[in-house]
């Protein structure tokens, strides 16, 4: 099969592949970018595989960066752009069900494609659009099928993360998982606990942000894979609740994790503990907590300007997606988003008065009283009771001082 009219993203990379070929080596586009081209899906990055060793790539191109040279990855800099190329390799060892003990560079494309996880991810494409399909990936793409390259049992033993990848591609692409591959997941699900949580987390997030998350969630439930994810043991009911939702997709990582916790009915004050087991970043944990706090107020219809201000734009957007997903408060969410847009300020740094100005213009000294004045000023501006201007806020501060209850 030869693809014509390659997406524009390939165009500037083609001369790079041509130069590697002119130097006597092979070079191909590989993996997700070939799969997504054939599916007509958006391509976010391109991967290049080559028979040239890293040292040979560095002889061909003057400007390179060693981005992962021990794994064979070198970034070629060309016309202001960077192209990651990885030398064909085989992997062996896998004594711990995760990363291979050894990576060996090889000259053969077929050896490289053999180590890849699924047939649809084991396609290669020449710079001229010719597709190399050694494992019937094209036919599985047509059948919308995720199928392990080779024996699923052995492949999941080599790297247990592939089971999470199977369920995430089911969601991402809205594909079925081949029965034998699915059986392999069922039989080996417990091996997932050997995998670094950070890697499982990436796949879980992509599953939740895919085209058809219920498909991935059903596969996790039917195989029991969920039992070996952080905090999900025994949570079939909550996961089923999420899988039963109809109004997808979600568009941000904040929305993804918030939806999961909402489905599992994790209270806002326990969300950080839950998400820490998934090793999410502090920022993301704090956002999810804000979303859950907001949804708590929303459920009780207790949303005021201060609730909106504290939630913030991105978290509010995520809360809206969760509300749509679970089919509640949809119209109100839209109103709340409009109300949010109309707030006088959206960040505390936008307050038109600061401590220095209060020191200069009022009898206040640094300390708790000044903190209170600033906090009350902020709330008053957010509530629309005081204009966000220095004179108005200084006047308001005088009033607070004169009231004397600081
Ligand atoms: P995405 O669009 O999500 O990036 P992708 O197919 O590019 O999808 P990556 O995780 O970026 O997925 O991996 C790139 C390629 O590397 C895959 O297409 C696959 O060929 C191979 N690969 C990645 N992870 C594994 C793994 N754990 N086992 C075997 N092959 C893998
Ligand atoms: Mg990729």
């Amino acid at each position: 099969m030869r693809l014509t009219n390659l997406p524009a993203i390939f165009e500037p990379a083609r001369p790079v592949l041509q130069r590697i070929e002119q130097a006597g080596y092979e070079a191909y586009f590989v993996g997700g970018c070939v799969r997504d081209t054939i599916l007509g899906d958006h391509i976010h990055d391109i991967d290049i595989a080559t028979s040239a060793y890293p040292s040979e790539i560095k002889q061909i191109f003057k400007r390179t960066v060693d981005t992962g040279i021990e794994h064979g990855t070198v970034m070629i800099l060309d016309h202001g752009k960077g192209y990651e190329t990885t030398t064909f390799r085989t992997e062996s060892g896998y004594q711990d069900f995760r990363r291979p003990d050894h990576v060996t560079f090889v000259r053969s494309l077929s050896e490289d494609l053999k180590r890849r996880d699924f047939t649809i991810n084991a396609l290669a494409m020449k710079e001229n659009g010719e597709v190399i399909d050694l494992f019937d990936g094209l036919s599985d793409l047509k059948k919308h099928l995720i199928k392990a390259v080779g024996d699923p049992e052995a492949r999941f033993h080599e790297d247990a993360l592939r089971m999470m990848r199977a369920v995430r591609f089911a969601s991402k692409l809205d594909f079925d998982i081949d029965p034998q591959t699915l059986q392999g997941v069922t039989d080996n699900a417990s091996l997932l606990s050997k995998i670094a949580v950070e890697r499982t987390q990436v796949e879980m997030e992509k599953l939740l942000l895919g085209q058809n998350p219920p498909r991935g969630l059903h596969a996790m439930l039917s195989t029991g894979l969920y039992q070996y994810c952080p905090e999900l043991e025994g949570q079939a009911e909550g996961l089923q609740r999420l899988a039963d939702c109809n109004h997808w997709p979600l568009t941000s990582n904040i929305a993804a994790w918030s939806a999961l916790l909402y489905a599992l009915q994790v209270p806002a004050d326990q969300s950080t503990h839950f998400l820490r087991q998934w090793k999410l970043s502090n920022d993301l944990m704090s956002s999810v907590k804000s979303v859950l706090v907001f949804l708590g107020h929303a459920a009780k219809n207790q949303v005021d300007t201060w609730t909106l201000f504290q939630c913030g734009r991105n978290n509010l957007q995520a809360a809206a997606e969760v509300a749509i997903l679970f089919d509640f408060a949809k119209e109100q969410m839209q109103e709340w988003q409009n109300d949010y847009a109309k707030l006088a300020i959206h960040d505390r740094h936008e307050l038109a008065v600061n401590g220095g100005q209060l020191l200069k213009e009022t009898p206040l000294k640094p300390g708790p009283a000044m903190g209170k004045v600033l906090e009350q000023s902020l709330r008053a501006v957010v509530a629309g009771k005081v204009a966000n201007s220095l004179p108005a806020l200084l006047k308001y501060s005088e009033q607070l001082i004169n009231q004397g209850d600081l």
Side-chain angles (χ1 to χ4, degrees):
M1 175 173 178
R2 169 138 181 220
L3 301 175
T4 48
N5 294 328
L6 293 182
I9 190 170
F10 289 105
E11 234 12 78
R14 291 181 58 207
V16 172
L17 273 68
Q18 284 162 0
R19 273 183 65 188
I20 300 175
E21 287 177 354
Q22 280 155 13
Y25 304 99
E26 292 174 46
Y28 302 88
F29 296 111
V30 283
C33 66
V34 183
R35 176 196 72 220
D36 292 341
T37 299
I38 298 167
L39 288 173
D41 287 354
H42 169 74
I43 300 162
H44 50 87
D45 53 9
I46 55 176
D47 291 313
I48 299 167
T50 176
S51 63
Y53 291 170
S55 56
E56 293 163 342
I57 288 291
K58 288 161 77 162
Q59 278 173 4
I60 304 171
F61 297 92
K62 272 201 216 91
R63 299 178 58 228
T64 60
V65 185
D66 295 354
T67 45
I69 199 153
E70 65 282 15
H71 305 110
T73 305
V74 173
M75 164 117 56
I76 297 170
L77 300 174
D78 187 62
H79 292 92
K81 284 197 176 150
Y83 302 94
E84 289 227 308
T85 51
T86 303
T87 302
F88 295 156
R89 59 185 203 212
T90 57
E91 295 167 350
S92 57
Y94 300 108
Q95 287 178 11
D96 53 0
F97 307 105
R98 32 188 167 175
R99 299 205 184 261
D101 298 342
H102 307 286
V103 169
T104 313
F105 299 147
V106 292
R107 297 290 189 187
S108 135
L109 172 67
S110 76
E111 285 296 313
D112 183 87
L113 296 180
K114 211 161 78 181
R115 72 167 171 94
R116 294 177 182 269
D117 47 6
F118 305 112
T119 59
I120 55 169
N121 288 346
L123 295 164
M125 182 174 77
K126 286 192 176 173
E127 61 79 27
N128 66 5
E130 187 186 330
V131 176
I132 320 290
D133 174 22
L134 305 179
F135 301 98
D136 275 342
L138 284 175
S139 129
D140 290 336
L141 261 189
K142 251 197 213 130
K143 289 189 252 176
H144 288 194
L145 210 54
I146 294 152
K147 187 174 177 186
V149 172
D151 174 25
E153 176 86 14
R155 303 313 308 284
F156 295 153
H157 266 255
E158 283 172 5
D159 180 357
L161 184 73
R162 292 173 184 153
M163 298 186 287
M164 263 321 275
R165 288 176 59 85
V167 297
R168 89 101 145 149
F169 281 115
S171 165
K172 180 190 152 113
L173 303 171
D174 194 11
F175 276 23
D176 264 335
I177 302 176
D178 161 73
Q180 228 192 318
T181 300
L182 198 66
Q183 187 63 46
V185 179
T186 306
D187 295 343
N188 296 285
S190 68
L191 295 180
L192 185 64
S193 40
K194 311 264 182 198
I195 294 296
V197 168
E198 292 85 345
R199 299 178 74 205
T200 304
Q201 178 223 101
V202 169
E203 303 302 331
M204 187 66 188
E205 192 172 291
K206 289 187 174 178
L207 182 156
L208 294 168
L209 293 173
Q211 274 188 63
N212 190 348
R215 222 168 181 166
L217 291 167
H218 284 135
M220 284 185 86
L221 283 162
S222 73
T223 57
L225 191 59
Y226 72 98
Q227 302 270 24
Y228 305 95
C229 290
E231 299 291 305
L232 295 186
E233 194 182 340
Q235 294 284 10
E237 200 181 312
L239 288 171
Q240 187 62 51
R241 203 174 296 126
L242 188 57
D244 288 341
C245 287
N246 294 317
H247 304 285
W248 304 87
L250 301 173
T251 66
S252 70
N253 55 1
I254 304 172
W257 293 100
S258 300
L260 176 65
L261 269 65
Y262 188 83
L264 299 178
Q265 297 173 340
V266 177
D269 61 3
Q270 285 170 35
S271 64
T272 304
H273 169 81
F274 184 106
L275 294 174
R276 195 167 282 136
Q277 314 310 308
W278 278 94
K279 305 221 170 155
L280 256 59
S281 69
N282 288 337
D283 274 359
L284 190 47
M285 288 195 291
S286 138
S287 288
V288 171
K289 187 172 177 180
S290 293
V291 172
L292 295 178
V293 166
F294 181 86
L295 290 171
H297 285 292
K300 290 186 248 156
N301 221 336
Q302 286 172 351
V303 175
D304 58 16
T305 49
W306 186 244
T307 324
L308 292 169
F309 176 79
Q310 281 189 302
C311 189
R313 179 181 287 108
N314 291 345
N315 298 340
L316 198 59
Q317 172 60 34
E321 289 188 13
V322 176
I324 290 168
L325 183 63
F326 287 91
D327 223 354
F328 80 93
K330 262 194 299 193
E331 286 83 24
Q332 273 149 302
M333 277 306 315
Q334 187 57 58
E335 273 175 39
W336 286 326
Q337 283 180 285
N338 294 343
D339 293 345
Y340 177 84
K342 285 187 229 145
L343 293 181
I345 58 174
H346 298 92
D347 189 293
R348 30 181 88 229
H349 301 299
E350 292 169 39
L351 190 67
V353 71
N354 61 32
Q357 287 154 333
L358 287 181
L359 263 183
K360 220 163 88 189
E361 308 287 341
T362 72
L364 284 167
K365 300 269 172 298
M370 184 182 283
K372 268 191 181 172
V373 169
L374 284 170
E375 185 67 16
Q376 294 209 30
S377 303
L378 180 68
R379 285 179 181 248
V381 168
V382 169
K385 289 184 191 147
V386 177
N388 188 34
S389 71
L390 187 58
L393 284 164
L394 288 176
K395 197 168 146 209
Y396 182 67
S397 302
E398 302 276 335
Q399 279 172 22
L400 291 174
I401 294 164
N402 292 338
Q403 280 165 16
D405 57 348
L406 293 170

